[in-house]
Amino acid sequence: MPSGGSFHVFQNIAIPRKFAISFATLIAMFLLVSGIILFNVSQLRQVAHDRDNARYVAERADDMMTGVVEAQSAVRGYVLLGKPEFLRTYEENRAAIAEAAADARTRVTSPEQKARFDDFAREAKQWQDTKIAQTLALYHDPATRSQAVQLAGTKQLGAMRKIKKAIDDEQDGQTAVFDEGQARAERSVTWVLVIGALVAVAIAGLLGWLLSNAIARPAGRLSTLMETLAKGRTDIEVPFTERRDEIGSMAKALLVFREAAVVKGQADREQQQVMDEVGAGLSRVADADLQVRFSDFPASYRRLQDDFNRAMNAMEGVMTHVADATRGINAGAADIRQASDDLSQRTEQQAASLEETAAAMDEITGTVRETASNADRANQVVRDTRVEAEQSGDIVRRAVEAMGGIERGSGEISEIITVIDAIAFQTNLLALNAGVEAARAGDAGKGFAVVASEVRALAQRSADAAKDVKTRITASSDQVQSGVALVGETGDALRRIIGRIEEISDLVSSIAGSAQQQANGLQQVNTAVAEMDGVTQQNAAMVEQSTAAARSLLAEADELARQIARFKVGGDTAATTSRTANPVHRMQDRAADAARRIARPAPRSGPRSHGNAALAVSTDDWSEL
């Protein structure tokens, strides 16, 4: 335990420094123990690494010996059975022996052990170059295969086994040393942990005892004294005032609080006395008595007395003026309410009339819009008729061309018939000559005469048919010429109709454009009327709100007048003030007289009136406006 002098020094250290020293001691102890543990852990890690390395070297030595044994077995199998697979196994084990020896040599740290691995590799190489090579050479000669089998069956690994045993003994010795080092490091870590924990617990206990006696107990005692002082007891003794740390500062502050509590007790008594008088005065004020005044307050509350009396004087004067203004507001609110009621009725009538006007304009706009739509449809029909008439004119033109072709065809047929008639005449003439020649021939020409008679008769019939066809073609040509003339006249009439239709289409387009412009104009007018209707409706709503506000203002003014009437003021002269003495009502009377003078109608000296006729209406009755 610390001595009394050292404990007194520890008490005078500031509390933050106390905690800093305590935590610094614990942290130093923790760092010391942690450093020792880290050192031993690093030793354990190194020992484990060396032991693993020694185990790895022993395993590689075993791999070397296993490779030699398996290589010898493969050679024996080859000389006994002659299979090539045994030679591949021999070559694989030969490579494995060399790889294991080289890998193990890189892990060995002892020069003697490295020399043993070199000896093993040299013996293995010599064994391969002498015994194995000789055995394979004897086997390749069929006459010496029995010698190869005998040589393969002899013992050949004695030297390598001795070297392997020496390697194993060395590795076992190293492993034992490493195991002892690991055990020693583990014991060291265990002792450090136990001793460090005990020392840390002892230091923590000592620091806890010091902090408890230096901070916790004094703070608890001062807290108890503060609670006692808070309960109103001032007859307490304050300890620890000689200390120079925060506890001493708290003790000095508690001493100041005790003195302040004594002063406060006296002040509380004076305050209670003042509060009783103020409470009684405020109770009278709550009962609407503004004639309350205070006197004989203590010196510390004299300013409160003067301020209260001055405030009550000012409030009495204000309430007197408020009472006068309230009566004026009451009368003005009544006038505003009456005017708002009349304006609300007229605005509602105007809104209803404007709504009917808007509905009528909407119907007119719909009618004009429908007329414009019908005009557009008529214009479209005329355009379609014009297109069809133009198409009909084209058809008539093609018909005229076709009739002309028919007329030309008729002329060509007439020429062909003329040719046929000439052929028939020539045939008849030939037939006549043939008959004459047949008659001259006598009996020998009778058959030819009959043929000539028939040809003549055929030529006569062809001539008659040609005349008949020519007659018909001539009649048809006349009809075709008449049809061509009529079709030409039809085309001329159709062109005149197309011209009239174009004029009608232009007129209908103009009518449709005018109707559309009228519809657009009426739509704008309708929109303006609708906006006026909306504005009028809004005005009506605002007038209703103003009327409601005026009524609410009147009700509030009445209530304000009733509340103000409760107050008692000096002389009570405000209650008898007349309306004519009120400045607000005097202003209202002057405004009404001026309005009557302006609204008085002008003398009727002629048909022309001067001024605004709307002002000629009497303003005495608001409902007549």
Side-chain angles (χ1 to χ4, degrees):
M1 293 297 174
S3 61
S6 61
F7 181 71
H8 181 70
V9 172
F10 187 75
Q11 282 184 338
N12 291 327
I13 299 175
I15 292 178
R17 290 189 178 182
K18 291 185 178 70
F19 284 106
I21 292 172
S22 301
F23 284 111
T25 304
L26 292 175
I27 291 172
M29 185 63 192
F30 174 76
L31 292 176
L32 177 62
V33 173
S34 299
I36 297 173
I37 291 174
L38 287 176
F39 175 75
N40 286 278
V41 168
S42 64
Q43 293 293 324
L44 284 173
R45 188 181 296 109
Q46 183 62 37
V47 168
H49 179 268
D50 294 339
R51 185 176 60 184
D52 292 340
N53 189 51
R55 187 183 296 111
Y56 181 79
V57 171
E59 291 175 354
R60 300 306 286 172
D62 293 338
D63 293 339
M64 291 167 56
M65 195 65 205
T66 301
V68 171
V69 173
E70 290 183 356
Q72 186 182 32
S73 299
V75 171
R76 288 176 178 176
Y78 177 70
V79 299
L80 290 176
L81 301 177
K83 294 183 178 181
E85 291 82 0
F86 288 104
L87 284 179
R88 288 195 295 270
T89 302
Y90 167 71
E91 293 296 336
E92 292 175 357
N93 284 281
R94 182 180 179 182
I97 292 168
E99 180 183 358
D103 190 12
R105 196 178 185 283
T106 59
R107 294 295 189 95
V108 174
T109 57
S110 172
E112 295 81 3
Q113 194 74 338
K114 287 184 179 181
R116 293 187 186 96
F117 276 100
D118 293 338
D119 295 339
F120 188 93
R122 185 171 54 256
E123 290 292 333
K125 183 72 170 56
Q126 184 179 2
W127 170 69
Q128 293 169 359
D129 294 339
T130 57
K131 300 292 183 180
I132 300 300
Q134 184 180 2
T135 301
L136 295 177
L138 291 173
Y139 179 77
H140 289 158
D141 187 358
T144 59
R145 285 186 177 179
S146 59
Q147 297 178 7
V149 173
Q150 292 177 359
L151 181 60
T154 61
K155 294 183 179 181
Q156 303 172 359
L157 309 178
M160 287 182 284
R161 291 185 184 278
K162 291 180 181 179
I163 297 173
K164 170 65 168 56
K165 185 176 183 305
I167 291 173
D168 291 341
D169 293 341
E170 178 67 20
Q171 293 303 121
D172 291 340
Q174 291 181 2
T175 301
V177 172
F178 293 149
D179 290 340
E180 178 61 26
Q182 182 177 1
R184 185 168 55 255
E186 289 176 352
R187 287 193 299 272
S188 177
V189 170
T190 302
W191 280 108
V192 168
L193 287 174
V194 172
I195 295 173
L198 293 175
V199 172
V201 169
I203 293 175
L206 177 61
L207 292 175
W209 182 82
L210 289 174
L211 292 175
S212 176
N213 285 277
I215 298 174
R217 289 180 182 176
R221 187 174 178 185
L222 290 178
S223 176
T224 302
L225 293 175
M226 288 180 182
E227 293 178 356
T228 303
L229 182 62
K231 293 178 181 179
R233 292 182 54 189
T234 57
D235 53 343
I236 59 174
E237 295 294 333
V238 180
F240 312 121
T241 56
E242 72 282 355
R243 291 179 56 167
R244 294 190 297 274
D245 59 351
E246 285 80 357
I247 298 297
S249 299
M250 292 173 61
K252 294 182 179 69
L254 182 60
L255 187 62
V256 173
F257 290 158
R258 186 190 66 180
E259 300 299 329
V262 174
V263 176
K264 184 177 179 300
Q266 179 65 29
D268 288 342
R269 287 189 292 273
E270 294 181 356
Q271 182 180 4
Q272 185 62 38
Q273 177 185 355
V274 171
M275 291 304 296
D276 291 339
E277 296 185 10
V278 170
L282 292 178
S283 177
R284 293 175 57 189
V285 172
D287 293 334
D289 186 2
L290 300 182
Q291 297 179 351
V292 179
R293 302 294 184 272
F294 291 145
S295 60
D296 298 333
F297 271 12
S300 57
Y301 292 94
R302 190 63 53 82
R303 182 176 179 181
L304 174 62
Q305 170 185 317
D306 297 338
D307 292 342
F308 182 84
N309 293 335
R310 190 165 55 253
M312 292 307 299
N313 292 331
M315 184 178 292
E316 184 177 6
V318 169
M319 292 306 298
T320 302
H321 291 293
V322 168
D324 297 337
T326 300
R327 283 186 288 272
I329 292 172
N330 195 357
D335 295 340
I336 293 172
R337 186 193 66 178
Q338 182 63 35
S340 297
D341 289 338
D342 296 339
L343 181 59
S344 176
Q345 293 176 0
R346 289 193 300 276
T347 305
E348 290 177 357
Q349 294 174 0
Q350 182 181 0
S353 301
L354 191 57
E355 184 177 2
E356 294 177 357
T357 303
M361 287 300 296
D362 191 14
E363 293 179 358
I364 294 172
T365 302
T367 303
V368 173
R369 188 181 295 110
E370 183 177 0
T371 302
S373 178
N374 293 333
D376 288 337
R377 289 197 295 271
N379 188 21
Q380 186 63 37
V381 170
V382 171
R383 289 195 187 97
D384 296 339
T385 304
R386 178 181 177 181
V387 172
E388 292 177 358
E390 290 176 351
Q391 294 176 355
S392 299
D394 186 57
I395 293 171
V396 170
R397 182 182 55 78
R398 291 199 300 269
V400 171
E401 292 177 356
M403 293 301 291
I406 293 171
E407 184 178 5
R408 288 190 298 273
S410 298
E412 293 174 356
I413 292 171
S414 298
E415 293 175 357
I416 294 171
I417 291 171
T418 302
V419 173
I420 293 172
D421 193 11
I423 293 172
F425 176 75
Q426 293 295 330
T427 303
N428 191 10
L429 183 60
L430 290 174
L432 180 60
N433 291 329
V436 172
E437 293 296 328
R440 290 176 182 178
D443 292 335
K446 287 181 180 181
F448 188 71
V450 173
V451 173
S453 177
E454 290 297 327
V455 170
R456 183 181 180 186
L458 179 61
Q460 186 63 38
R461 286 196 300 270
S462 296
D464 293 339
K467 289 179 181 180
D468 187 27
V469 171
K470 183 176 183 180
T471 303
R472 294 178 181 275
I473 290 298
T474 302
S476 297
S477 180
D478 294 337
Q479 294 294 328
V480 168
Q481 289 178 357
S482 178
V484 169
L486 292 175
V487 169
E489 293 177 359
T490 302
D492 295 336
L494 190 58
R495 282 192 294 272
R496 289 193 298 273
I497 291 172
I498 291 172
R500 298 299 183 185
I501 290 174
E502 290 179 353
E503 294 178 2
I504 294 172
S505 177
D506 294 336
L507 292 175
V508 172
S509 297
S510 178
I511 292 172
S514 300
Q516 186 64 37
Q517 292 178 359
Q518 292 176 4
N520 293 333
L522 286 175
Q523 181 64 37
Q524 294 176 359
V525 173
N526 190 18
T527 302
V529 172
E531 292 178 354
M532 292 171 61
D533 185 20
V535 172
T536 304
Q537 296 293 340
Q538 293 177 357
N539 291 336
M542 287 189 292
V543 169
E544 290 291 340
Q545 294 176 358
S546 299
T547 302
R551 292 175 180 173
S552 176
L553 177 61
L554 182 59
E556 294 295 334
D558 291 338
E559 181 64 22
L560 180 60
R562 286 193 296 272
Q563 294 297 329
I564 291 175
R566 296 173 50 202
F567 290 97
K568 298 178 181 179
V569 295
D572 202 14
T573 57
T576 60
T577 304
S578 63
R579 175 181 174 89
T580 57
N582 191 289
V584 176
H585 286 284
R586 288 198 299 270
M587 186 179 296
Q588 291 178 348
D589 293 339
R590 288 196 299 270
D593 293 338
R596 292 189 184 95
R597 287 194 301 271
I598 294 172
R600 187 174 298 115
R604 299 185 179 181
S605 59
R608 183 178 179 180
S609 61
H610 300 276
N612 194 340
L615 296 177
V617 183
S618 176
T619 58
D620 293 338
D621 188 2
W622 288 86
S623 62
E624 294 299 329
L625 289 178

PDB file of all heavy atoms in Angstrom, residues 476-491:
ATOM      1  N   SER A 476     -73.520   3.852-141.816  1.00  0.00           N
ATOM      2  CA  SER A 476     -72.810   3.853-140.518  1.00  0.00           C
ATOM      3  C   SER A 476     -71.857   5.023-140.424  1.00  0.00           C
ATOM      4  O   SER A 476     -71.707   5.668-139.369  1.00  0.00           O
ATOM      5  CB  SER A 476     -72.033   2.540-140.346  1.00  0.00           C
ATOM      6  OG  SER A 476     -72.928   1.447-140.323  1.00  0.00           O
ATOM      7  N   SER A 477     -71.185   5.370-141.516  1.00  0.00           N
ATOM      8  CA  SER A 477     -70.263   6.504-141.515  1.00  0.00           C
ATOM      9  C   SER A 477     -70.986   7.783-141.232  1.00  0.00           C
ATOM     10  O   SER A 477     -70.508   8.645-140.489  1.00  0.00           O
ATOM     11  CB  SER A 477     -69.533   6.567-142.864  1.00  0.00           C
ATOM     12  OG  SER A 477     -68.641   7.677-142.869  1.00  0.00           O
ATOM     13  N   ASP A 478     -72.218   7.889-141.837  1.00  0.00           N
ATOM     14  CA  ASP A 478     -73.006   9.092-141.538  1.00  0.00           C
ATOM     15  C   ASP A 478     -73.336   9.157-140.035  1.00  0.00           C
ATOM     16  O   ASP A 478     -73.259  10.226-139.408  1.00  0.00           O
ATOM     17  CB  ASP A 478     -74.276   9.085-142.392  1.00  0.00           C
ATOM     18  CG  ASP A 478     -73.958   9.214-143.886  1.00  0.00           C
ATOM     19  OD1 ASP A 478     -72.848   9.743-144.194  1.00  0.00           O
ATOM     20  OD2 ASP A 478     -74.784   8.789-144.699  1.00  0.00           O
ATOM     21  N   GLN A 479     -73.747   7.989-139.479  1.00  0.00           N
ATOM     22  CA  GLN A 479     -74.089   7.972-138.051  1.00  0.00           C
ATOM     23  C   GLN A 479     -72.851   8.296-137.191  1.00  0.00           C
ATOM     24  O   GLN A 479     -72.936   9.005-136.195  1.00  0.00           O
ATOM     25  CB  GLN A 479     -74.645   6.587-137.662  1.00  0.00           C
ATOM     26  CG  GLN A 479     -75.975   6.247-138.305  1.00  0.00           C
ATOM     27  CD  GLN A 479     -77.088   7.182-137.805  1.00  0.00           C
ATOM     28  OE1 GLN A 479     -77.065   7.644-136.669  1.00  0.00           O
ATOM     29  NE2 GLN A 479     -78.059   7.471-138.691  1.00  0.00           N
ATOM     30  N   VAL A 480     -71.696   7.738-137.625  1.00  0.00           N
ATOM     31  CA  VAL A 480     -70.468   8.001-136.858  1.00  0.00           C
ATOM     32  C   VAL A 480     -70.112   9.467-136.890  1.00  0.00           C
ATOM     33  O   VAL A 480     -69.713  10.079-135.892  1.00  0.00           O
ATOM     34  CB  VAL A 480     -69.320   7.138-137.394  1.00  0.00           C
ATOM     35  CG1 VAL A 480     -67.975   7.614-136.821  1.00  0.00           C
ATOM     36  CG2 VAL A 480     -69.536   5.683-137.023  1.00  0.00           C
ATOM     37  N   GLN A 481     -70.276  10.105-138.050  1.00  0.00           N
ATOM     38  CA  GLN A 481     -69.991  11.532-138.130  1.00  0.00           C
ATOM     39  C   GLN A 481     -70.929  12.315-137.233  1.00  0.00           C
ATOM     40  O   GLN A 481     -70.522  13.261-136.544  1.00  0.00           O
ATOM     41  CB  GLN A 481     -70.141  11.981-139.587  1.00  0.00           C
ATOM     42  CG  GLN A 481     -69.051  11.477-140.510  1.00  0.00           C
ATOM     43  CD  GLN A 481     -69.245  11.900-141.949  1.00  0.00           C
ATOM     44  OE1 GLN A 481     -70.263  12.542-142.280  1.00  0.00           O
ATOM     45  NE2 GLN A 481     -68.282  11.543-142.818  1.00  0.00           N
ATOM     46  N   SER A 482     -72.233  11.889-137.255  1.00  0.00           N
ATOM     47  CA  SER A 482     -73.189  12.561-136.341  1.00  0.00           C
ATOM     48  C   SER A 482     -72.775  12.357-134.887  1.00  0.00           C
ATOM     49  O   SER A 482     -72.839  13.286-134.072  1.00  0.00           O
ATOM     50  CB  SER A 482     -74.608  12.011-136.611  1.00  0.00           C
ATOM     51  OG  SER A 482     -75.517  12.618-135.710  1.00  0.00           O
ATOM     52  N   GLY A 483     -72.347  11.100-134.524  1.00  0.00           N
ATOM     53  CA  GLY A 483     -71.916  10.829-133.124  1.00  0.00           C
ATOM     54  C   GLY A 483     -70.696  11.624-132.759  1.00  0.00           C
ATOM     55  O   GLY A 483     -70.586  12.145-131.648  1.00  0.00           O
ATOM     56  N   VAL A 484     -69.724  11.749-133.677  1.00  0.00           N
ATOM     57  CA  VAL A 484     -68.521  12.539-133.391  1.00  0.00           C
ATOM     58  C   VAL A 484     -68.887  13.977-133.120  1.00  0.00           C
ATOM     59  O   VAL A 484     -68.376  14.619-132.197  1.00  0.00           O
ATOM     60  CB  VAL A 484     -67.533  12.421-134.558  1.00  0.00           C
ATOM     61  CG1 VAL A 484     -66.399  13.436-134.398  1.00  0.00           C
ATOM     62  CG2 VAL A 484     -66.970  11.013-134.637  1.00  0.00           C
ATOM     63  N   ALA A 485     -69.831  14.503-133.928  1.00  0.00           N
ATOM     64  CA  ALA A 485     -70.255  15.889-133.710  1.00  0.00           C
ATOM     65  C   ALA A 485     -70.900  16.043-132.348  1.00  0.00           C
ATOM     66  O   ALA A 485     -70.645  17.004-131.608  1.00  0.00           O
ATOM     67  CB  ALA A 485     -71.199  16.311-134.837  1.00  0.00           C
ATOM     68  N   LEU A 486     -71.791  15.077-132.019  1.00  0.00           N
ATOM     69  CA  LEU A 486     -72.474  15.153-130.712  1.00  0.00           C
ATOM     70  C   LEU A 486     -71.469  15.022-129.556  1.00  0.00           C
ATOM     71  O   LEU A 486     -71.570  15.730-128.552  1.00  0.00           O
ATOM     72  CB  LEU A 486     -73.543  14.057-130.627  1.00  0.00           C
ATOM     73  CG  LEU A 486     -74.744  14.231-131.567  1.00  0.00           C
ATOM     74  CD1 LEU A 486     -75.657  13.027-131.471  1.00  0.00           C
ATOM     75  CD2 LEU A 486     -75.521  15.518-131.251  1.00  0.00           C
ATOM     76  N   VAL A 487     -70.504  14.080-129.682  1.00  0.00           N
ATOM     77  CA  VAL A 487     -69.502  13.922-128.605  1.00  0.00           C
ATOM     78  C   VAL A 487     -68.680  15.182-128.466  1.00  0.00           C
ATOM     79  O   VAL A 487     -68.338  15.624-127.348  1.00  0.00           O
ATOM     80  CB  VAL A 487     -68.612  12.700-128.897  1.00  0.00           C
ATOM     81  CG1 VAL A 487     -67.406  12.681-127.936  1.00  0.00           C
ATOM     82  CG2 VAL A 487     -69.392  11.417-128.728  1.00  0.00           C
ATOM     83  N   GLY A 488     -68.328  15.828-129.584  1.00  0.00           N
ATOM     84  CA  GLY A 488     -67.598  17.090-129.485  1.00  0.00           C
ATOM     85  C   GLY A 488     -68.390  18.141-128.757  1.00  0.00           C
ATOM     86  O   GLY A 488     -67.862  18.883-127.932  1.00  0.00           O
ATOM     87  N   GLU A 489     -69.718  18.240-129.124  1.00  0.00           N
ATOM     88  CA  GLU A 489     -70.555  19.197-128.404  1.00  0.00           C
ATOM     89  C   GLU A 489     -70.620  18.844-126.920  1.00  0.00           C
ATOM     90  O   GLU A 489     -70.620  19.738-126.041  1.00  0.00           O
ATOM     91  CB  GLU A 489     -71.946  19.204-129.037  1.00  0.00           C
ATOM     92  CG  GLU A 489     -71.967  19.768-130.463  1.00  0.00           C
ATOM     93  CD  GLU A 489     -73.361  19.696-131.075  1.00  0.00           C
ATOM     94  OE1 GLU A 489     -74.264  19.196-130.374  1.00  0.00           O
ATOM     95  OE2 GLU A 489     -73.547  20.138-132.232  1.00  0.00           O
ATOM     96  N   THR A 490     -70.709  17.490-126.609  1.00  0.00           N
ATOM     97  CA  THR A 490     -70.740  17.081-125.186  1.00  0.00           C
ATOM     98  C   THR A 490     -69.460  17.509-124.468  1.00  0.00           C
ATOM     99  O   THR A 490     -69.490  17.985-123.329  1.00  0.00           O
ATOM    100  CB  THR A 490     -70.906  15.553-125.103  1.00  0.00           C
ATOM    101  OG1 THR A 490     -72.102  15.176-125.779  1.00  0.00           O
ATOM    102  CG2 THR A 490     -70.967  15.115-123.648  1.00  0.00           C
ATOM    103  N   GLY A 491     -68.309  17.351-125.113  1.00  0.00           N
ATOM    104  CA  GLY A 491     -67.041  17.783-124.493  1.00  0.00           C
ATOM    105  C   GLY A 491     -67.028  19.265-124.245  1.00  0.00           C
ATOM    106  O   GLY A 491     -66.594  19.729-123.193  1.00  0.00           O
TER     107      GLY A 491
END
